[in-house]
Amino acid sequence: MTSRAPYPTRASNSHETAGCWMRSGRGSAAYPLILHVQQRRESAGEEAAMQRETSQAAELMSGFAERTGLRGGAETRRYLWTDAFAVINALDLWLTTRDERWRDMATDLVAEVHGVLGRHRSDDSRQGWLGGLDEQEGARHPTSGGLRIGKPLPEREPDAPYDARLEWDRDGQYWHYLTKWMDALSRAARVLDEPECLRYAEELAEGTFPRFLQTSPMGAPMGLAWKMSVDLSRPQVAATSPHDALDGYVTTRWLGRTGAATRLAGEANILRQLAEGRAWGTADPLGLGGLLMDAMRLALLPDRTEVAERLILDILAGVDAGLDHFLRSGTLEAVPSRRLGFREIGLAIGLQALRPLSQAAETSRHLRRAAGPHLDALRKNAGVGRGIVAFWSEPENRRAATWTEHRDINDVMLATVLLDAYADTARATSGEGHRRGLSCPGAAHESPAVHRETRQAGPCHRGCG
């Protein structure tokens, strides 16, 4: 590991020069993304609350970096889902505080994930990059062979019997983890002005999608395998989920939102066919949050199509029904030892997407009319997200084994919701700041001016954790 200074445990406003991936002039105030506009608060109380949330998130992220070997002497421990949210958090903290150490964390984490999860495990007889490239080529194309999940146990051997319980702890590749990483890379590409990150995301999609795709004997697409082997040679769990197809479609469209020509039109077309006309009902809180995150990304597309608007409407209908079912389950009234933090926090993150979703719906008469009743019903439950955040922000509740046994993913996702980082960086990197009338030095094709709006804290098919 490098000998950089520790990540800050408080949100400072340092303007230190970043070392990783920096080009000359980037540390100066002239760099476009440093022109960070922060809206005035309606009251000093709101400003103080935001500062407390930012400081708490910074503390959580610094602890995560130390525990997982990103800083300090701890053994390196990478997990793709958690690391995707951690990159988004680091980007958001950098844009909020201008402290270059958060920029360092984002760039270091990208390099660490590719260098660890893009290669075979140390206890595997195979060594080197997953795609089989030599060291030099693999370093240039670290995502072309996919990225491991980061589970504690090696993958199941081809002739080993299937054990459902053990499979949750075995390594492999998950499509919905890969799409989370593609999303994080696309945000890093814009925030850090690093086009290579977008190339990594596109190469990850190109290299993995054909391996996950399951087809009929006649060659018709049927879905995406739930879990593939580390080398993508065989399904470890062949069952398919339409949610994976939706994630894939939204992500491939999202990668092309900057206006640059995307290489993924063919993949997007197949994924669209697999996702259209589905019912999106689920009572799993993490699944509900994920659906809202997908709907928000579709809504923020600058070239949103009728297909995207139909999907948004279908998603909102499913979430509206599913959230009602979840709330009636009584899960949120249980004691901490009977609750899973990251699953509930995933819902809270998704509920934060309602604001940009609603604003985007106002730009389309059809979407506003069709989705309005669902958005109105969901906005009435915005307090559910705030309640989840308040519950898990209490140190006493975080002493439960259900929190400490999944501390990395819990801490990182709690930081995400405290910062409103998922919605915030999505708006920032899709040019939403321009349409809100805030000052922006660049044209639409340039890096966007970044701003933070007043924040509102607004298996399952996922199997994260």
Side-chain angles (χ1 to χ4, degrees):
M1 295 305 300
T2 59
S3 57
R4 287 181 180 160
Y7 301 119
T9 56
R10 290 279 183 260
S12 63
N13 288 301
S14 165
H15 291 271
E16 298 168 18
T17 301
C20 185
W21 293 2
M22 286 288 289
R23 299 193 184 104
S24 64
R26 267 213 202 152
S28 70
Y31 180 52
L33 273 173
I34 296 297
L35 295 174
H36 177 63
V37 180
Q38 197 154 13
Q39 290 186 315
R40 290 183 179 273
R41 296 289 167 181
E42 293 181 359
S43 69
E46 288 181 356
E47 179 66 27
M50 190 194 79
Q51 290 177 354
R52 286 195 301 272
E53 291 168 349
T54 303
S55 291
Q56 184 182 353
E59 192 167 346
L60 290 166
M61 290 303 298
S62 294
F64 163 78
E66 294 291 332
R67 288 194 309 276
T68 63
L70 199 60
R71 278 293 181 273
E75 181 180 358
T76 299
R77 185 174 71 244
R78 303 267 58 88
Y79 191 75
L80 191 57
W81 175 279
T82 305
D83 289 338
F85 279 95
V87 167
I88 290 170
N89 293 351
L91 294 173
D92 194 78
L93 281 163
W94 179 59
L95 293 171
T96 301
T97 68
R98 305 184 189 182
D99 189 321
E100 295 291 346
R101 286 172 291 184
W102 295 118
R103 179 193 173 95
D104 286 350
M105 182 175 185
T107 56
D108 289 353
L109 195 46
V110 168
E112 279 280 301
V113 165
H114 292 168
V116 175
L117 300 181
R119 303 173 69 95
H120 287 288
R121 300 164 57 102
S122 60
D123 58 1
D124 197 319
S125 60
R126 301 163 295 183
Q127 293 297 301
W129 297 98
L130 299 184
L133 299 177
D134 63 34
E135 285 301 313
Q136 193 172 21
E137 276 300 291
R140 283 196 289 265
H141 306 282
T143 61
S144 61
L147 297 166
R148 293 186 292 107
I149 301 165
K151 294 284 189 180
L153 299 179
E155 69 179 357
R156 176 168 46 89
E157 295 294 333
D159 56 351
Y162 176 76
D163 182 312
R165 184 184 61 81
L166 277 179
E167 195 62 43
W168 287 113
D169 292 325
R170 291 196 182 281
D171 219 349
Q173 295 201 38
Y174 282 148
W175 175 255
H176 63 282
Y177 279 32
L178 298 177
T179 55
K180 277 289 179 289
W181 189 248
M182 294 174 208
D183 184 8
L185 285 173
S186 76
R187 298 175 195 225
R190 297 217 69 196
V191 171
L192 302 176
D193 192 22
E194 287 293 347
E196 269 198 337
C197 284
L198 186 59
R199 176 174 65 81
Y200 293 151
E202 290 179 326
E203 290 181 354
L204 181 56
E206 289 174 326
T208 58
F209 172 74
R211 305 294 190 90
F212 275 87
L213 184 64
Q214 305 295 291
T215 58
S216 71
M218 301 298 293
M222 297 177 63
L224 301 173
W226 168 252
K227 183 180 185 180
M228 291 293 291
S229 62
V230 163
D231 63 4
L232 298 174
S233 64
R234 64 188 186 279
Q236 297 291 69
V237 180
T240 63
S241 165
H243 292 264
D244 280 356
L246 177 66
D247 271 350
Y249 173 67
V250 174
T251 301
T252 52
R253 293 280 285 110
W254 186 243
L255 294 183
R257 72 192 183 282
T258 62
T262 180
R263 301 161 6 191
L264 303 172
E267 290 88 340
N269 186 53
I270 294 172
L271 289 162
R272 174 186 58 78
Q273 295 175 40
L274 293 171
E276 279 190 297
R278 301 282 189 164
W280 300 108
T282 177
D284 172 67
L286 183 59
L288 291 167
L291 287 168
L292 287 171
M293 294 179 219
D294 280 344
M296 179 195 69
R297 289 191 293 162
L298 285 172
L300 291 178
L301 289 174
D303 55 347
R304 191 174 69 227
T305 62
E306 289 184 11
V307 170
E309 293 198 351
R310 285 198 303 271
L311 273 173
I312 292 170
L313 180 57
D314 290 344
I315 290 168
L316 291 177
V319 173
D320 190 2
L323 180 58
D324 183 63
H325 184 75
F326 169 69
L327 293 178
R328 285 189 280 108
S329 72
T331 300
L332 298 183
E333 283 73 53
V335 296
S337 61
R338 304 289 294 178
R339 297 170 61 168
L340 281 175
F342 67 90
R343 306 200 80 83
E344 296 177 10
I345 293 168
L347 172 59
I349 294 169
L351 289 171
Q352 288 178 332
L354 287 174
R355 179 169 181 163
L357 246 174
S358 299
Q359 291 168 334
E362 290 299 314
T363 66
S364 165
R365 181 181 302 175
H366 167 72
L367 187 59
R368 181 174 66 249
R369 183 174 61 250
H374 296 302
L375 285 169
D376 288 344
L378 290 169
R379 280 194 295 264
K380 290 177 183 176
N381 285 311
V384 171
R386 291 191 290 271
I388 290 170
V389 175
F391 182 87
W392 290 115
S393 293
E394 287 293 331
E396 181 64 30
N397 293 334
R398 297 204 303 272
R399 293 190 183 100
T402 52
W403 184 275
T404 59
E405 289 171 2
H406 306 280
R407 185 177 178 187
D408 292 341
I409 191 171
N410 283 330
D411 278 9
V412 168
M413 292 184 71
L414 179 57
T416 303
V417 76
L418 286 167
L419 294 165
D420 193 4
Y422 192 87
D424 220 23
T425 55
R427 286 190 298 254
T429 59
S430 63
E432 280 294 288
H434 304 289
R435 291 194 285 273
R436 286 182 173 85
L438 297 172
S439 60
C440 175
H445 64 278
E446 296 175 325
S447 299
V450 180
H451 68 283
R452 180 179 303 285
E453 298 208 6
T454 302
R455 291 199 298 265
Q456 293 181 333
C460 93
H461 58 278
R462 281 287 159 256
C464 314

